[in-house]
Amino acid sequence: MSNKITIDLIGAQCPEPAVKAIKQTLDMPPGTIVEILMDSLECLMLISSWTKLLNDQLELLEKEEINENSIKVTIKRK
């Protein structure tokens, strides 16, 4: 059974919060699902890039627009 957590980066000034979210995800057990909420295009691009670079450890499952200002990215710790 996998765990699911949410990290809220809405209002955060990236890149530091996005980097911390990725590092936190890498410390989680395999199978953990992480939803990251954000309102920054910079955070979205950074998290997408990190999942591509770390594709042996992270899997980008979904990008979803929550409303006109917010996005939810769901990643899985492999």
Side-chain angles (χ1 to χ4, degrees):
M1 184 176 189
S2 63
N3 296 326
K4 183 176 176 182
I5 67 157
T6 300
I7 298 173
D8 188 349
L9 298 182
I10 292 178
Q13 296 295 315
C14 284
E16 186 178 343
V19 172
K20 285 182 179 180
I22 292 295
K23 286 181 179 180
Q24 182 180 351
T25 302
L26 290 171
D27 288 339
M28 295 179 186
T32 301
I33 303 292
V34 180
E35 294 179 338
I36 304 173
L37 308 175
M38 65 194 80
D39 59 357
S40 164
L41 185 57
E42 183 181 3
C43 282
L44 175 61
M45 293 185 325
L46 186 60
I47 289 170
S48 294
S49 295
W50 274 94
T51 56
K52 288 177 186 170
L53 287 171
L54 298 168
N55 68 352
D56 61 326
Q57 298 176 64
L58 299 174
E59 179 181 0
L60 179 63
L61 299 177
E62 180 181 23
K63 288 187 254 184
E64 175 186 348
E65 187 175 314
I66 299 170
N67 58 43
E68 63 185 45
N69 298 318
S70 302
I71 302 162
K72 177 175 74 174
V73 175
T74 305
I75 58 178
K76 181 178 181 180
R77 173 70 168 94
K78 290 184 180 179

